Amino acid sequence: MLAFPSTYTVGITSLGYQIVWATLAMRPDLDVRRLFTDQGDPPHRHCDLFGLSLSWELDGPVLLDLLEQQRIPIWSADRSDNDPLVFGGGPVLTANPEPLAPFFDVVLLGDGEELLPAFIDALQSVRDQPRAQQLRHLARIPGIYVPALYAPRYDPDGCLRSIEPIEADCPERIAKQTWRGNSLSHSTVITPEAAWPEIHMVEVVRSCPELCRFCLASYLTLPFRTPSLDDGLIPAVEKGLTATRRLGLLGASVTQHPQFSELLHWLGQDRFEDLRVSVSSVRAATVTPDLAQGLARRGSKSLTIAIESGSERMRGVVNKKLSTSEIEAAARHAKQGGLSGLKLYGMVGLPAEEESDVEDTASLLLDLKKATPGLRLTLGVSTFVPKAHTPFQWQGVRPEAEQRLKLLAKRLKPKGIELRPESYGWSVIQALLSRSDRRLAPVIAAVRGSQDSLGGWKKAYRAARAGELPSTTSAGVTLPVPPPWEQVVHDVWDEQMVLPWTHLDGPVSASTLAAHQRQALDLA
């Protein structure tokens, strides 16, 4: 059973979920069924594997609802040989699986292209053995993390001291796996029921070479990878165009593919006259009138660029190699090329940010509106949330971000600029999930039924702090109460602190991440 923690419409639009499902479904030794929160394929009479793909922290608690729906014990320690192995993957679990670790038997760290087949092959070789033996065997496969074989150790004052293997033949550290093949992913399902209906999605790039200091999509997925045009992208595009005339080009910065202009030129052929092309996000400095015109000719109405801040100083701090003049040029070129809208993404609450930097963001948007009359401007803005394996993983959520979101609304909405702010409160819960260790698992279990309420989360956390929740054991260790809310969500952590994900190796070492953080803050 392969599950997605949302509705079918949302889940089937996830390219990652599609690829995992297709990879498993093509194997003759597996019979794969899909499960979403609102529907699913007919269930097996007996399920051996239950998998979940996670791309957003706030979807994690839905796992417990799905497990209960399938009558699978939510705690891995409570499962017997008659229960399925529960496994998961995706960026959230690769970055920091610890808050959800007691619910998973197996976590796959990294790209699935080679890791997923290796997992299934290893499991098939021991499928007749008891559950404990299966897990020991899987734990020796690179990139496979078995939480029950790694015990968290705490100081008497409750500080995490280490996470260590409990058996000698388990590796001390588990490394994220990286796919280095020539091809990336593309849609295997095209349906009118998807959130993006009838669209063929093609991954143009993976990771991002810019290395903005907060960015999980860049740091966690390094190195930056681009399939070749003739052997990778064009065959992937043509495969989908036999079924639809809508094409979505995906990636953190698609126009940084070294052959993107050639791809756009190829899509400009007369035989693609009825094709509608959309792109996910482009680097502002790569926007030209020709690019905008090429996309407009193929049905695109707008472009999306990430500016992070309207302040030159803040863009320097976060390593956003982008000048104000380049942002202004991108808006002009978008309009000149025939596009009707420009979507910009930014943040508030970044480390070292001052209120004047947020004022600069408002001023930049107002200047763009004056300079490009008729171009519809939209600003999506979120609160900075620290992510594991990035230079800003030691930073916290800044409470002043809530007022800075309101400041932008006050400045921009009366001037006709659409503002799409993300909830500050839910950014706080996102940070709780992204920075915690296994002590959060009892809170996640307790919040079931009220997980859509900020108050429900805070009530469950207070109960955990007061020792009012049932005690939980993980890898033979009784978990102490979680640390103070302020410490997890808002505090700036010392670089020498043992992090919940210290035993998991990402693409960049902790010492390099710390050096990048210091370089960033030195610019402040």
Side-chain angles (χ1 to χ4, degrees):
M1 184 73 72
L2 184 66
F4 191 88
S6 190
T7 62
Y8 174 83
T9 294
V10 174
I12 207 63
T13 307
S14 166
L15 188 54
Y17 179 83
Q18 283 194 25
I19 297 307
V20 171
W21 174 76
T23 300
L24 297 176
M26 286 189 292
R27 292 184 63 116
D29 55 349
L30 295 179
D31 179 14
V32 186
R33 308 294 171 88
R34 298 172 300 176
L35 177 67
F36 304 91
T37 55
D38 61 340
Q39 60 177 276
D41 297 328
H44 296 94
R45 193 170 48 135
H46 179 75
C47 179
D48 297 311
L49 274 175
F50 183 96
L52 185 80
S53 178
L54 267 185
S55 55
W56 195 39
E57 286 88 354
L58 295 176
D59 282 339
V62 181
L63 166 68
L64 307 191
D65 297 335
L66 294 170
L67 290 175
E68 289 185 320
Q69 179 185 333
Q70 299 298 307
R71 298 180 181 176
I72 301 170
I74 64 170
W75 301 99
S76 63
D78 294 339
R79 295 178 198 133
S80 70
D81 287 348
N82 295 320
D83 293 309
L85 284 182
V86 176
F87 75 96
V92 167
L93 292 172
T94 298
N96 177 22
E98 290 304 292
L100 295 166
F103 308 122
F104 281 102
D105 298 305
V106 175
V107 177
L108 307 183
L109 303 177
D111 297 332
E113 281 88 346
E114 290 178 345
L115 182 54
L116 193 60
F119 165 58
I120 298 299
D121 290 343
L123 186 57
Q124 292 287 36
S125 70
V126 293
R127 63 177 303 177
D128 296 326
Q129 296 185 20
R131 181 187 201 87
Q133 292 301 112
Q134 291 179 357
L135 293 176
R136 288 189 185 95
H137 179 71
L138 289 170
R140 295 196 290 268
I141 308 299
I144 294 183
Y145 176 43
V146 178
L149 297 179
Y150 291 82
R153 309 292 182 188
Y154 298 93
D155 287 334
D157 61 0
C159 291
L160 181 66
R161 186 175 71 221
S162 65
I163 299 179
E164 303 168 353
I166 62 175
E167 297 188 359
D169 58 350
C170 290
E172 289 188 7
R173 308 183 65 79
I174 307 95
K176 175 245 179 193
Q177 300 298 291
T178 300
W179 167 248
R180 298 177 185 272
N182 179 53
S183 62
L184 296 179
S185 58
H186 59 80
S187 292
T188 59
V189 176
I190 298 170
T191 171
E193 297 180 54
W196 297 341
E198 301 284 13
I199 194 165
H200 178 59
M201 297 175 287
V202 175
E203 187 181 14
V204 177
V205 300
R206 188 171 295 180
S207 191
C208 176
E210 296 305 302
L211 295 181
C212 292
R213 301 313 189 202
F214 57 82
C215 186
L216 186 70
S218 181
Y219 275 88
L220 187 66
T221 57
L222 287 171
F224 181 59
R225 284 153 286 163
T226 61
S228 70
L229 181 65
D230 293 332
D231 299 331
L233 284 180
I234 286 178
V237 169
E238 288 190 317
K239 186 173 183 178
L241 297 188
T242 62
T244 184
R245 304 306 285 177
R246 291 196 64 195
L247 175 66
L249 302 177
L250 306 186
S253 185
V254 295
T255 51
Q256 286 184 272
H257 190 291
Q259 295 176 293
F260 188 81
S261 60
E262 289 96 323
L263 175 62
L264 206 58
H265 178 74
W266 179 77
L267 291 171
Q269 298 175 75
D270 290 343
R271 68 187 177 105
F272 297 128
E273 190 65 34
D274 62 338
L275 179 65
R276 183 179 173 187
V277 178
S278 57
V279 296
S280 55
S281 181
V282 305
R283 186 167 181 257
T286 65
V287 179
T288 64
D290 286 345
L291 171 70
Q293 190 174 45
L295 292 173
R297 191 184 305 122
R298 288 293 172 259
S300 286
K301 305 256 187 240
S302 65
L303 273 181
T304 299
I305 62 174
I307 62 169
E308 316 317 342
S309 175
S311 161
E312 291 263 16
R313 184 185 75 89
M314 282 309 305
R315 290 198 298 275
V317 168
V318 303
N319 199 39
K320 187 74 177 181
K321 297 177 273 291
L322 182 63
S323 68
T324 298
S325 61
E326 287 172 321
I327 298 171
E328 293 167 344
R332 287 197 310 273
H333 297 334
K335 183 180 179 183
Q336 290 168 8
L339 296 172
S340 59
L342 182 67
K343 299 176 183 177
L344 305 96
Y345 279 100
M347 284 188 178
V348 296
L350 286 159
E353 177 191 83
E354 299 173 1
E355 188 169 307
S356 60
D357 297 308
V358 183
E359 292 280 4
D360 287 346
T361 299
S363 297
L364 173 63
L365 268 290
L366 295 172
D367 290 344
L368 292 178
K369 184 174 177 63
K370 290 179 184 176
T372 54
L375 185 69
R376 187 181 66 257
L377 297 177
T378 303
L379 177 64
V381 61
S382 60
T383 296
F384 163 75
V385 174
K387 299 296 175 101
H389 303 286
T390 70
F392 284 169
Q393 64 183 358
W394 292 280
Q395 299 293 316
V397 175
R398 298 180 62 187
E400 54 265 44
E402 186 171 21
Q403 289 303 315
R404 291 175 183 177
L405 289 171
K406 295 176 180 177
L407 185 155
L408 286 173
K410 182 179 178 181
R411 290 285 309 277
L412 298 179
K413 284 186 175 181
K415 302 297 184 180
I417 296 173
E418 184 179 0
L419 185 70
R420 295 180 182 174
E422 289 189 7
S423 162
Y424 169 80
W426 285 113
S427 294
V428 165
I429 304 302
Q430 192 179 348
L432 184 72
L433 287 158
S434 71
R435 287 185 114 193
S436 288
D437 60 33
R438 293 188 197 183
R439 288 174 288 181
L440 190 67
V443 176
I444 295 172
V447 83
R448 292 199 314 279
S450 58
Q451 63 199 37
D452 294 332
S453 158
L454 293 172
W457 278 95
K458 293 178 179 179
K459 180 180 178 181
Y461 203 88
R462 284 195 300 269
R465 287 279 297 158
E468 296 170 358
L469 300 183
S471 62
T472 301
T473 301
S474 181
V477 175
T478 299
L479 299 177
V481 300
W485 178 282
E486 183 81 12
Q487 179 181 323
V488 178
V489 173
H490 297 296
D491 280 3
V492 177
W493 292 348
D494 188 278
E495 289 178 359
Q496 304 307 312
M497 176 178 170
V498 174
L499 302 173
W501 49 90
T502 297
H503 59 306
L504 308 176
D505 288 334
V508 182
S509 69
S511 60
T512 299
L513 294 175
H516 285 190
Q517 175 180 235
R518 290 192 290 271
Q519 290 169 11
L521 298 181
D522 285 347
L523 295 173

